[in-house]
Amino acid sequence: MAKASAKPKLDLVKRDDSNALIPEAFRNVLGYHLRVAQEASFQAFSAAADKADLKPGWYSILTILAEYGELTPSDLSRVCGRDRSTLTATLKGLSIRGLIERHQNPEDQRSYSVRLTEEGRKMQRRLHAIAHQHDQRLDEIVGADKDVVIAVLARIVNALGTS
Amino acid sequence: MAKASAKPKLDLVKRDDSNALIPEAFRNVLGYHLRVAQEASFQAFSAAADKADLKPGWYSILTILAEYGELTPSDLSRVCGRDRSTLTATLKGLSIRGLIERHQNPEDQRSYSVRLTEEGRKMQRRLHAIAHQHDQRLDEIVGADKDVVIAVLARIVNALGTS
DNA sequence: GCAAGATAGTTTGTCATCAAAATATTTGTC
DNA sequence: GACAAATATTTTGATGACAAACTATCTTGC
């Protein structure tokens, strides 16, 4: 039978019409757009990494280690802005796959530091190539507004206390 | 690259110095700032909701229902931009707590729709008050750039294909 | 009218995130 | 020197996200 009669059924408009689907209540809400944009961006990066059989979640850690050389999990957590407990599993994975080495701190039995292995450095470069491509795509989309947007985002982070 | 001495130890600068801790490699990367800002924003909202003993995850669903009246889980998923499977648990929780009602579709045994109960409407208003406060805080931080930023974020979502 | 395929919803498995509790070790106080 | 407090890491448990596989039902093609 015809379903047309009974149900309103929400004639959901396709996506090509910009913000066709955004609920009225959210249209002017920064937090909403922030969330949606960040998820779209992450998904795009994730898809690109997956296609190359790489773990998107490794990128930031490997890159920070490439820049800082050697860090404890705690310092790494502060630099990348994640809770320490979040890193445990990832570091274990990276270690198992030989991408990082752990070095016990001889002066403190509780603590160790991690650094990239040669393999890890290679992996970082491969992920960086993908990330760079992704960010160029974002740059194209954002165009001249990039600096303003970055400044605003940084302001948000600072004002809300990094948390 | 002399890491020779005992304590490299990263003298991590405190947060009050804007972007003191941002790794060089990310400083000009939009995706990074997007992620960090979104997480800070979500954390702030989450904390405010928690303080009032409310679930932050309920807000978007309740608000969409308040606006659209009655939706199937699939339509709800399209409107809020989450995968259908993501909604299952939340809808169950909302239903158990009496905030939404499920109505079987008499024309399609597979399908049902959900709508707010009076309790749900009250909860939506309570959460909305918190969300509104949060967004005003964001507005203050962002100031005159708000429209530009929202336009840019929407552009990102559209260009990256929502997904 | 029936088999094949599409669609609605749920389940399961993976991952990332946080916070709070648990462990182990170091530091500081008396 | 012993005991309390702080610190480094891991564990556990809750959320929320996705994708892929699964069940049930509806629609289509022939």
Side-chain angles (χ1 to χ4, degrees):
Chain A
M1 267 313 275
K3 70 296 197 79
S5 53
K7 285 298 136 187
K9 251 312 187 187
L10 231 241
D11 205 3
L12 289 167
V13 199
K14 52 272 121 225
R15 293 306 203 143
D16 54 45
D17 177 8
S18 168
N19 74 12
L21 266 184
I22 300 177
E24 192 55 38
F26 298 153
R27 197 158 292 168
N28 206 32
V29 173
L30 246 164
Y32 169 82
H33 291 277
L34 207 47
R35 190 192 56 126
V36 175
Q38 129 71 16
E39 279 171 10
S41 162
F42 177 74
Q43 285 291 115
F45 173 55
S46 223
D50 272 358
K51 209 160 55 182
D53 248 315
L54 306 179
K55 302 279 185 186
W58 290 352
Y59 175 58
S60 55
I61 290 181
L62 294 179
T63 298
I64 290 168
L65 288 178
E67 183 170 326
Y68 284 82
E70 189 162 0
L71 289 174
T72 64
S74 284
D75 284 344
L76 190 51
S77 136
R78 278 185 282 271
V79 172
C80 79
R82 314 257 83 83
D83 192 271
R84 281 168 311 159
S85 61
T86 305
L87 299 181
T88 306
T90 308
L91 290 180
K92 189 188 289 182
L94 288 169
S95 183
I96 286 172
R97 266 152 266 242
L99 302 176
I100 60 172
E101 292 170 336
R102 297 162 125 117
H103 287 282
Q104 190 62 49
N105 179 347
E107 295 171 11
D108 189 336
Q109 293 311 115
R110 296 168 301 180
S111 181
Y112 63 88
S113 59
V114 292
R115 79 162 76 117
L116 294 182
T117 61
E118 204 34 63
E119 269 310 297
R121 209 164 285 278
K122 263 192 269 182
M123 175 63 81
Q124 193 276 328
R125 281 191 286 259
R126 292 209 289 153
L127 278 163
H128 182 69
I130 292 171
H132 185 61
Q133 246 182 323
H134 172 59
D135 216 61
Q136 283 190 325
R137 197 169 161 206
L138 281 184
D139 282 357
E140 269 171 42
I141 295 165
V142 172
D145 297 322
K146 178 178 177 183
D147 289 346
V148 176
V149 171
I150 285 186
V152 166
L153 296 176
R155 222 149 68 220
I156 290 173
V157 173
N158 272 100
L160 297 186
T162 266
S163 150
Chain B
M1 53 184 294
K3 72 273 188 177
S5 47
K7 285 234 171 172
K9 253 314 187 185
L10 230 239
D11 205 0
L12 288 168
V13 199
K14 51 268 118 231
R15 294 304 204 147
D16 54 43
D17 177 8
S18 167
N19 74 12
L21 266 184
I22 300 177
E24 192 53 39
F26 298 154
R27 198 158 291 168
N28 204 34
V29 172
L30 248 165
Y32 169 81
H33 292 276
L34 207 48
R35 190 193 55 127
V36 175
Q38 129 71 16
E39 279 171 12
S41 162
F42 177 73
Q43 284 293 114
F45 173 56
S46 224
D50 272 358
K51 209 160 53 183
D53 249 315
L54 306 180
K55 302 278 184 185
W58 289 352
Y59 174 59
S60 55
I61 290 181
L62 293 179
T63 299
I64 289 169
L65 288 177
E67 182 171 327
Y68 283 82
E70 188 161 2
L71 288 174
T72 64
S74 285
D75 284 344
L76 190 51
S77 136
R78 278 183 283 270
V79 172
C80 79
R82 315 256 82 82
D83 192 89
R84 282 171 306 160
S85 60
T86 305
L87 300 181
T88 306
T90 309
L91 291 179
K92 190 189 289 184
L94 289 170
S95 183
I96 286 172
R97 267 152 265 243
L99 303 176
I100 60 172
E101 293 170 335
R102 298 161 124 119
H103 287 282
Q104 189 63 48
N105 179 347
E107 295 173 13
D108 188 337
Q109 293 310 116
R110 295 168 303 179
S111 182
Y112 64 89
S113 59
V114 292
R115 79 163 75 117
L116 293 182
T117 61
E118 204 35 61
E119 269 309 298
R121 210 165 286 278
K122 263 190 270 182
M123 175 63 81
Q124 193 275 329
R125 281 190 287 261
R126 291 209 290 154
L127 277 163
H128 182 70
I130 292 172
H132 186 61
Q133 245 181 324
H134 172 59
D135 216 61
Q136 282 190 324
R137 197 168 161 208
L138 280 183
D139 283 357
E140 269 171 42
I141 295 165
V142 171
D145 296 322
K146 178 177 177 184
D147 289 346
V148 176
V149 171
I150 285 186
V152 166
L153 296 176
R155 223 150 68 220
I156 290 173
V157 173
N158 272 100
L160 297 186
T162 265
S163 119

